[in-house]
């Protein structure tokens, strides 16, 4: 037994700066617009719900942004995260491919989300904020912000998409264990929630609706700010610790990836693993394919329009240029709740438009099939969201087998599935359905996109 299974970095190799891909892109991303004026927004437009340091990071153009030492100190609880070589999965597939995965499930909350939750909580505390409002889908983000709030002494209120609130009671319990309040969304607490329930009392909810509720609470309460778990530039920035560590660990392993894979809902874990590798490609010409994998029932990158749209259902946010299914789009209630979002991060969308990344959509049954294979070979039960990346990695490995040629595959295993066992129970009992989106509803949603004057 000479195979190395894990590549570990010491704590002093935790990155000292986040990587900002905006510095290396061949064309700048389109500006974020004020929905009232149609003009680019300024810092004052965001100051009611975000601390100024995060606003500065949102528009930053420098390549590196220093990670505050208090944030690095908290990162030490789980970072650097391990890089694994999936030796047993390679053997199970009988493939010449080399499969590596960066495992973010070692964090206290069990996913990649604390990488930005800790940073956002820190900057809000430094700005004198004492309460945060947020949304969550499957609960990975909500439990991560709850954890970060407990570290920095902040009250956290989480609006959790109702279908996930009902599917994942132990995620709710984890948030409450960390001291947060968890509300099913849509709720009667906000005007945005009441409006949805008036139209559809049985609404499953969506991330767009939950965002509307959290933004409304933050905008109406001076002591409360809003925190977002994905999509925005500063969130993608904070997640780059994943890829920065992985570059160093792949060097330890002696391989450069032919393909880097991440599941994609709002885009944060995908950006975290992919952007540092794309930076190497853009600056140094180090070739790499980058693949985003999304659910077929919510296919933002593969079926959405690249257009200006609101980030929420009630149209309380600025307009962002992104791949979108339309802010009124309601995806089916599949188990990968963290991927049920109508839009994609503007930076990820821009990278797709520039031809820097590829995207594919997959149904949930093939994903759980791959998740089960991974669990039975590698011992880790992937989160439903992460099974999308596992599926794509398995497909790449099988393609290498068919070609009879080796290739090096790296994917981000963004979280564990310990709170998602009902999804596996449904799969194992044959109850899991591959749900497709409503094509007519998608057309109607896209037809309702905001009209923005040509740039």
């Amino acid at each position: 037994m000479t195979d190395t299974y894990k590549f570990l970095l010491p704590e002093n190799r935790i990155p000292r700066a986040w990587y900002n891909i905006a510095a290396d892109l061949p064309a700048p991303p389109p500006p974020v617009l004020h929905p009232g004026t149609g003009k680019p927004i300024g810092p004052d437009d965001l100051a009611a719900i975000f601390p100024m340091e995060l606003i500065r990071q949102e528009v930053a153009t420098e390549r590196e942004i220093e990670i505050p030492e208090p944030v690095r100190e908290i990162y030490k609880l789980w970072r650097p995260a391990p890089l694994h070589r999936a030796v047993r999965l390679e053997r199970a597939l009988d493939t010449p491919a080399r499969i590596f995965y960066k495992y973010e499930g070692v964090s206290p909350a069990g996913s990649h989300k604390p990488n930005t939750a800790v940073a956002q909580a820190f900057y809000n505390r430094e700005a004198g904020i004492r309460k945060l409002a947020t949304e969550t889908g499957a609960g990975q983000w909500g439990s991560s912000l709850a954890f970060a709030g407990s570290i920095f002494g902040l009250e956290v209120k989480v609006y959790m998409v109702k279908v996930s609130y009902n599917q994942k009671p132990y995620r709710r319990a984890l948030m409450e264990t960390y001291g947060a309040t968890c509300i099913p969304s849509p709720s009667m607490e906000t005007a945005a929630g009441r409006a949805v329930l008036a139209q559809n009392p049985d609404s499953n909810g969506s991330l767009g609706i939950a965002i509307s509720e959290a933004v409304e609470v933050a905008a109406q309460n001076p002591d409360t700010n809003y925190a977002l778990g994905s999509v925005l530039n500063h969130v993608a920035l904070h997640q780059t610790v994943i890829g920065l560590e992985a570059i160093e660990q792949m060097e330890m392993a002696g391989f450069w990836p032919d393909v880097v894979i991440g599941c994609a809902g709002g885009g944060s874990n995908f950006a975290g693993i992919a952007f540092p590798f794309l930076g190497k490609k853009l600056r140094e010409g180090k070739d790499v394919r980058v693949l985003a994998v999304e659910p077929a029932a919510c296919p933002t990158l593969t079926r959405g329009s690249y257009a200006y749209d609101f980030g929420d259902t009630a149209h309380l946010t600025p307009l962002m240029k992104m791949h979108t299914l339309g802010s009124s789009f309601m995806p089916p209630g599949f188990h990968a709740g963290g991927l049920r979002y109508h839009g994609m991060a503007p930076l990820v969308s821009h990278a797709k438009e520039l031809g820097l990344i590829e995207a594919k959509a997959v149904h949930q049954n093939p994903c759980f099939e791959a998740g089960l294979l991974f669990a039975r070979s590698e011992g880790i039960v992937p989160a439903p969201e992460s099974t999308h990346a596992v599926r794509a990695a398995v497909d790449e490995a099988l393609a290498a087998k068919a070609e009879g040629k080796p290739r090096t595959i790296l994917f981000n295993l963004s979280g564990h599935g310990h709170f998602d066992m009902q999804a596996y129970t449904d799969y194992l009992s044959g109850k899991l359905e591959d749900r497709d989106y409503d094509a007519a509803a998608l057309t109607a949603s896209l037809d309702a996109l905001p009209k923005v004057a040509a740039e």
Side-chain angles (χ1 to χ4, degrees):
M1 297 294 291
T2 59
D3 293 307
T4 299
Y5 283 65
K6 296 189 299 298
F7 299 88
L8 307 174
L9 294 171
E11 287 180 0
N12 64 7
R13 297 307 303 159
I14 294 173
R16 296 189 176 276
W18 294 299
Y19 166 64
N20 182 16
I21 197 172
D24 293 321
L25 291 172
V32 177
L33 303 181
H34 191 290
T37 65
K39 303 294 183 184
I41 61 171
D44 291 346
D45 296 314
L46 299 174
I49 59 173
F50 291 120
M52 192 53 64
E53 186 54 41
L54 291 181
I55 295 172
R56 279 195 285 267
Q57 291 177 9
E58 193 65 21
V59 298
T61 56
E62 62 267 35
R63 182 173 292 119
E64 293 186 342
I65 295 177
E66 183 179 356
I67 302 175
E69 200 54 37
V71 173
R72 289 187 77 249
E73 281 296 313
I74 303 303
Y75 279 176
K76 288 179 182 178
L77 289 174
W78 73 96
R79 305 214 71 88
L83 179 80
H84 293 248
R85 181 164 177 183
V87 176
R88 294 178 59 82
L89 179 61
E90 293 171 12
R91 293 174 186 160
L93 296 171
D94 189 26
T95 177
R98 295 172 289 265
I99 307 172
F100 294 87
Y101 60 96
K102 182 72 167 168
Y103 185 39
E104 290 295 306
V106 295
S107 78
S111 78
H112 65 292
K113 294 292 188 180
N115 297 331
T116 184
V118 169
Q120 292 189 51
F122 167 76
Y123 288 123
N124 275 285
R125 188 198 67 177
E126 293 300 287
I129 294 297
R130 291 292 172 260
K131 297 179 182 178
L132 292 175
T134 195
E135 77 296 322
T136 196
Q140 300 276 19
W141 167 244
S143 53
S144 297
L145 191 67
F147 156 69
S150 72
I151 293 289
F152 290 108
L154 304 177
E155 292 183 32
V156 175
K157 176 174 279 191
V158 182
Y159 290 89
M160 187 174 186
V161 176
K162 187 177 291 180
V163 64
S164 293
Y165 182 93
N166 293 328
Q167 285 174 342
K168 304 176 192 298
Y170 297 115
R171 274 282 165 205
R172 265 168 26 218
L174 183 59
M175 293 180 229
E176 293 164 352
T177 298
Y178 284 133
T181 302
C182 185
I183 308 294
S185 170
S187 76
M188 294 298 292
E189 288 196 354
T190 67
R194 290 190 293 272
V196 173
L197 291 172
Q199 288 187 337
N200 181 8
D202 298 320
S203 173
N204 276 333
S206 70
L207 279 168
I209 295 168
I211 290 171
S212 294
E213 295 205 84
V215 169
E216 180 181 322
V217 168
Q220 293 178 356
N221 294 278
D223 64 346
T224 305
N225 266 357
Y226 171 63
L228 184 61
S230 193
V231 181
L232 297 180
N233 295 354
H234 69 264
V235 181
L237 174 81
H238 301 156
Q239 293 294 353
T240 59
V241 293
I242 301 170
L244 292 169
E245 290 176 3
I247 286 173
E248 200 168 333
Q249 288 164 315
M250 290 301 295
E251 290 172 353
M252 291 170 63
F255 295 102
W256 179 257
D258 294 300
V259 59
V260 173
I261 300 168
C263 65
S268 70
N269 103 84
F270 172 76
I273 189 72
F275 281 2
F277 285 92
L278 278 178
K280 284 279 192 180
K281 181 176 183 178
L282 292 166
R283 293 190 311 275
E284 303 173 18
K286 300 194 74 168
D287 195 29
V288 64
R289 286 175 54 221
V290 177
L291 177 60
V293 192
E294 62 185 6
C298 194
T300 308
L301 284 168
T302 54
R303 293 300 179 107
S305 294
Y306 185 57
Y308 274 102
D309 197 9
F310 292 95
D312 72 313
T313 302
H315 300 173
L316 302 178
T317 70
L319 294 169
M320 298 175 286
K321 190 77 175 281
M322 60 183 177
H323 286 90
T324 178
L325 301 170
S327 60
S328 64
F329 178 75
M330 187 72 66
F334 55 91
H335 272 290
L339 306 183
R340 294 179 69 251
Y341 183 59
H342 69 272
M344 183 56 63
L347 278 175
V348 173
S349 297
H350 187 52
K352 174 76 161 46
E353 288 300 297
L354 292 173
L356 297 174
I357 68 171
E358 307 166 26
K360 68 183 290 188
V362 289
H363 279 108
Q364 62 178 351
N365 267 296
C367 292
F368 277 95
E369 177 188 40
L372 213 65
L373 173 64
F374 187 85
R376 291 174 179 179
S377 55
E378 294 296 310
I380 298 171
V381 178
E385 294 79 8
S386 306
T387 61
H388 291 69
V390 178
R391 176 74 263 170
V394 167
D395 289 345
E396 290 284 334
L398 292 175
K401 179 180 179 179
E403 294 171 4
K405 296 179 181 177
R407 68 178 71 172
T408 301
I409 301 161
L410 169 65
F411 71 93
N412 195 32
L413 187 60
S414 53
H416 65 65
H418 297 170
F419 293 96
D420 305 287
M421 297 314 298
Q422 185 60 49
Y424 282 90
T425 297
D426 290 347
Y427 175 75
L428 289 166
S429 61
K431 296 179 181 177
L432 206 63
E433 299 177 8
D434 282 334
R435 300 181 182 180
D436 289 311
Y437 59 88
D438 184 323
L442 174 59
T443 299
S445 182
L446 291 174
D447 286 344
L449 285 171
K451 308 303 180 190
V452 176
E455 298 167 54

